[in-house]
């Protein structure tokens, strides 16, 4: 999904409490992790005495305790609320499960998030999920951040940097489930660090199709003297990452990605396609080469907002046929990595972009632009046909 544009979803939906804040809610019996009820105090002049809770009399509604005062649950100075609530419908996990996962996996997540402008996808109770780019005003001062100029809105957008455990815990309390870092570091915004291919199986197609397409990409890379690491997307697809050496121009990285996709399509035209328009894919795996420039991609180890809360997880090339995305969830992933970091271990050394890929890629139209023009052409043809 697009990365560096300003957050377009500015809902006035209820938000999770920030660090040190009590969560606003209707009066209710305080649950674990919520604020304690203050003891009754003596009334001041002009005030009625505050009485201890008592059994409601006939015809009266029972007065419930209000959630006020300090929050009980806290980690690293971050207040945590409503931990035992379901994360989202069908999650099979609670907010506590998410926070626990971010905590135990923080070192590995920080390794792929550090120094990169961070977009997160949050899911609030009773609301649709939404991407948050610009940090809200109530964000604690200690959350590291960077400002990025958003050309579309002609203003600076303040992004978080996922540089430390405390920040991840705070985001977890905000019900930030997915973590989508920028493709470049904040200090070098025009230098994309990896060539990325996103392989998306067709509607109704399984993970096995994406795996087969990933092997086409691997072959195309090998033919150019390059190699990459592979991970599940956390949904149905697969991501291939190739670390880049030197200081390649953004347009050259984008061109090389288009060329890799085109070559993979030529290797297996019956399986894969570079067609950006969905109706032109005809049941084939989409070789998405558009993860460039201001785009983002779900980080390795990022949870996804899917049933069971799967995570994007690294897999050895030789093991791809033996796994499914459902094997890797916030419940299972920590036990699978143990004390290691399989994504870091699988990543090859940084490589120079192949000159042949760059040259070929510059002859291939940019997919989004081509699709836009094709869409307009088809619309004109449809109007002309209807006029006849």
């Amino acid at each position: 999904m697009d990365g560096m544009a300003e957050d377009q979803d500015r809902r006035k939906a209820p938000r999770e409490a920030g660090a040190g804040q009590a969560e606003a809610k209707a009066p209710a019996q305080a649950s674990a992790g919520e604020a304690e009820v203050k003891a009754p105090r003596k009334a001041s002049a002009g005030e009625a005495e505050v009485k201890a809770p008592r059994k409601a009399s006939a015809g009266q509604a029972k007065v419930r305790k209000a959630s006020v005062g300090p929050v009980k649950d806290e980690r690293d100075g971050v207040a945590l609320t409503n931990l035992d609530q379901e994360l989202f419908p069908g999650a099979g996990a609670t907010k506590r499960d998410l926070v626990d996962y971010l905590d135990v996996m923080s070192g590995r997540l920080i390794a792929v998030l550090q120094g990169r402008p961070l977009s997160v996808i949050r899911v609030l109770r009773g609301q649709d999920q939404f991407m948050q780019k610009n940090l809200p005003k109530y964000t604690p001062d200690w959350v590291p951040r960077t400002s990025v100029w958003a050309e579309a809105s002609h203003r600076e957008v303040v992004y978080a940097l996922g540089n430390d455990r405390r920040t991840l815990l705070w985001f977890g309390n905000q019900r930030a489930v997915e973590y989508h870092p920028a493709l470049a570091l904040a200090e070098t915004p025009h230098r994309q660090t990896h060539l990325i291919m996103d392989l998306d199986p067709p509607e109704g197609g399984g993970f096995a199709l994406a795996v087969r397409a990933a092997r086409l990409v691997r072959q195309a890379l090998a033919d150019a003297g390059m190699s990459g690491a592979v991970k599940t997307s956390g949904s149905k697809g697969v991501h291939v990452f190739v670390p880049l050496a030197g200081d390649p121009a953004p347009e050259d990285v984008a061109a090389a990605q288009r060329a890799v996709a085109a070559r993979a399509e030529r290797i297996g035209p019956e399986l894969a396609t570079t067609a950006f328009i969905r109706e032109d894919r005809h049941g084939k795996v989409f070789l998405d080469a558009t993860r460039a420039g201001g785009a983002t991609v779900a980080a390795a180890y990022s949870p996804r907002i899917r049933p069971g809360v799967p995570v994007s997880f690294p897999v050895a090339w030789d093991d791809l046929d033996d796994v499914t995305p459902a094997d890797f969830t916030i419940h299972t992933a920590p036990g699978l990595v143990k004390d290691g970091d399989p994504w870091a271990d699988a990543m090859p050394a940084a490589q120079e972009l192949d000159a042949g890929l760059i040259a070929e890629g510059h002859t291939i139209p940019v997919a989004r632009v081509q699709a836009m023009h094709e869409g307009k052409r088809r619309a004109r043809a449809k109007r002309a046909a209807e006029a006849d």
Side-chain angles (χ1 to χ4, degrees), residues 101-378:
Y101 175 82
L102 296 174
D103 197 355
V104 73
M105 297 292 285
S106 59
R108 300 165 189 85
L109 280 164
I110 291 167
V112 293
L113 300 179
Q114 191 164 30
R116 298 175 185 271
L118 178 62
S119 300
V120 297
I121 299 183
R122 296 172 62 191
V123 55
L124 305 185
R125 289 166 293 166
Q127 302 291 326
D128 291 334
Q129 65 187 55
F130 64 97
M131 176 168 275
Q132 175 182 291
K133 304 169 188 285
N134 208 14
L135 279 175
K137 293 181 180 179
Y138 58 83
T139 304
D141 293 339
W142 46 259
V143 171
R145 63 200 70 195
T146 186
S147 295
V148 177
W149 180 256
E151 190 61 39
S153 57
H154 300 288
R155 61 175 293 180
E156 285 193 334
V157 178
V158 180
Y159 287 83
L161 299 172
N163 290 356
D164 54 71
R165 169 179 176 258
R166 197 180 185 195
T167 295
L168 294 180
L169 292 174
W170 181 79
F171 268 124
N173 192 57
Q174 299 295 304
R175 293 178 182 265
V177 179
E178 299 193 12
Y179 295 79
H180 295 246
L183 308 182
L185 297 170
E187 61 185 19
T188 53
H190 300 297
R191 185 195 179 283
Q192 185 167 328
T193 59
H194 295 77
L195 179 154
I196 299 172
M197 293 297 301
D198 182 1
L199 312 180
D200 187 18
E203 190 70 29
F207 178 70
L209 290 178
V211 168
R212 289 172 57 196
R215 292 204 168 93
L216 300 179
V217 170
R218 190 187 192 193
Q219 182 62 55
L221 288 169
D223 291 345
M226 304 185 75
S227 62
V230 62
K231 65 184 180 74
T232 67
S233 68
S235 182
K236 298 185 302 179
V238 168
H239 295 155
V240 178
F241 275 55
V242 180
L244 299 177
D247 187 18
E251 58 271 22
D252 287 345
V253 178
Q257 290 182 180
R258 294 195 296 273
V260 170
R263 293 184 182 188
E265 182 181 30
R266 291 199 295 268
I267 295 170
E270 75 291 341
L271 171 65
T273 179
T274 57
F276 192 80
I277 299 175
R278 190 177 298 273
E279 63 192 52
D280 293 343
R281 297 175 191 169
H282 306 299
K284 299 178 183 180
V285 176
F286 176 43
L287 305 173
D288 186 356
T290 65
R291 302 300 187 205
T296 66
V297 66
Y301 308 115
S302 171
R304 305 301 302 270
I305 303 175
R306 305 286 190 278
V309 200
V311 304
S312 181
F313 199 84
V315 181
W317 284 101
D318 291 342
D319 295 336
L320 280 173
D321 289 327
D322 301 322
V323 302
T324 69
D327 293 336
F328 312 109
T329 72
I330 61 172
H331 299 296
T332 63
L336 293 172
V337 299
K338 297 182 174 63
D339 296 327
D341 185 346
W343 186 236
D345 294 342
M347 195 64 62
Q351 301 146 58
E352 298 284 345
L353 274 178
D354 176 68
L357 288 176
I358 295 173
E360 179 180 344
H362 280 298
T363 69
I364 301 172
V366 176
R368 293 182 188 276
V369 176
Q370 184 183 36
M372 178 185 67
H373 290 308
E374 178 62 17
K376 291 180 178 179
R377 186 195 67 78
R378 294 182 187 186

